[in-house]
Amino acid sequence: MQLTNKVALVTGAGSGIAKATAKLFAKEGAKVAALGRTKDELETTVAEINNNNGEAIPLVADISNPEQMQQAIQAIIDKWGRLDVVFANAGINGVWASIEELTPEDWNKTINVNLTGTFLTVKYAVPYLKKQGGSVIITSSVNGTRTFSNTGATAYSSTKAAQVAFAKMVALELAKHRIRVNVICPGAIATNIDENTDRQDLEEIQEPVEFPEGKIPLTDGKPGTSEQVAQLVFFLASDASSHITGTEVWIDGGESLLKA
């Protein structure tokens, strides 16, 4: 088990990519702090880990709230005394709308959760990662990094591009402390995040594009799975990627090469 004796924080751990990653981390020996906003989902994730000989605790917190994130990370230290891996995955799709219809409130909410939330997660973890080194993995997206054709996703794509810049800045700053910072950029993955996307009157502003054989070349259009993404996150968390930092990795079956 490659993460034995290590402690990992996973945000957004109640479902999807983060849940699959939390379970894989635990299977590989890590103690897992599963953080999110939905208590019932977190408790399900934690129960699945603990019932399979793993060790996990739930942490209910809003990643965009500084006080809550400080308290959550302190709870990890109080419980296990260290922090080695941070998977900053939590985020929202938010409102997708034309620039004229996108409200300042909707813009700010997406920025606060996706970008400020990433900043706070990493900021408050760093003092503890510095003690022995560690790995930070941030979930960005193909949107804003390789793909710009999802019309209306302006706020979301801006946060995803900014996360890559943030990771590269922080990777260089923290390298002397043996802290690696990398980014994953998933494409279409079968999760429930689309259920939380508020698409508003996009038909009139979208450019029509047809992909007769599917938009994901590697799988003939079939989306990837959370478990596939979890394997990438595990690689970046493990010593197998010990010389990789400040790097973004796209995991999309070639989707973003076809659909720019």
Side-chain angles (χ1 to χ4, degrees):
M1 295 191 292
Q2 297 184 52
L3 298 180
T4 299
N5 298 323
K6 293 191 176 181
V7 174
L9 166 63
V10 178
T11 70
S15 63
I17 291 169
K19 179 176 182 178
T21 301
K23 292 168 69 174
L24 180 57
F25 279 179
K27 183 180 178 181
E28 290 291 336
K31 298 175 177 65
V32 177
L35 185 146
R37 297 184 64 179
T38 307
K39 183 179 180 181
D40 290 345
E41 285 187 344
L42 290 177
E43 290 181 344
T44 298
T45 299
V46 168
E48 290 179 16
I49 291 172
N50 290 337
N51 291 338
N52 284 280
N53 300 314
E55 186 175 352
I57 58 171
L59 296 172
V60 178
D62 177 352
I63 62 167
S64 67
N65 184 297
E67 291 77 18
Q68 291 183 23
M69 288 308 295
Q70 283 181 288
Q71 291 169 4
I73 289 174
Q74 186 61 53
I76 298 171
I77 302 306
D78 291 344
K79 174 69 174 178
W80 291 310
R82 63 185 292 153
L83 183 57
D84 304 274
V85 177
V86 174
F87 181 32
N89 172 82
I92 60 172
N93 275 4
V95 172
W96 291 17
S98 71
I99 191 67
E100 294 171 279
E101 297 299 325
L102 185 66
T103 68
E105 292 77 18
D106 291 332
W107 169 273
N108 287 337
K109 181 177 180 180
T110 303
I111 298 295
N112 287 340
V113 174
N114 290 358
L115 185 55
T116 303
T118 297
F119 160 69
L120 294 174
T121 301
V122 176
K123 172 183 173 61
Y124 294 124
V126 162
Y128 305 104
L129 294 170
K130 279 184 175 181
K131 293 181 183 298
Q132 70 285 315
S135 177
V136 175
I137 305 99
I138 296 168
T139 299
S140 176
S141 172
V142 295
N143 292 295
T145 58
R146 271 185 175 174
T147 299
F148 300 89
S149 52
N150 278 324
T151 307
T154 307
Y156 176 79
S157 295
S158 295
T159 64
K160 297 292 128 177
Q163 283 177 315
V164 174
F166 171 82
K168 293 185 177 189
M169 292 295 297
V170 176
L172 189 57
E173 178 182 338
L174 299 178
K176 63 187 176 184
H177 301 289
R178 294 173 294 117
I179 300 171
R180 298 182 296 108
V181 184
N182 292 293
V183 185
I184 63 166
C185 301
I189 305 297
T191 70
N192 62 1
I193 192 170
D194 275 349
E195 298 174 7
N196 301 318
T197 307
D198 185 359
R199 293 178 171 85
Q200 298 182 0
D201 302 321
L202 298 177
E203 294 80 5
E204 293 183 4
I205 61 172
Q206 285 180 324
E207 292 293 334
V209 179
E210 292 186 13
F211 298 96
E213 298 182 9
K215 64 180 183 179
I216 306 175
L218 195 61
T219 58
D220 295 325
K222 184 179 179 180
T225 67
S226 295
E227 289 73 20
Q228 287 174 313
V229 182
Q231 289 289 342
L232 172 59
V233 181
F234 167 58
F235 166 71
L236 292 172
S238 74
D239 290 340
S241 60
S242 60
H243 203 53
I244 300 175
T245 194
T247 297
E248 63 269 55
V249 182
W250 287 271
I251 178 165
D252 66 351
E255 177 186 1
S256 61
L257 299 178
L258 176 67
K259 181 186 173 185

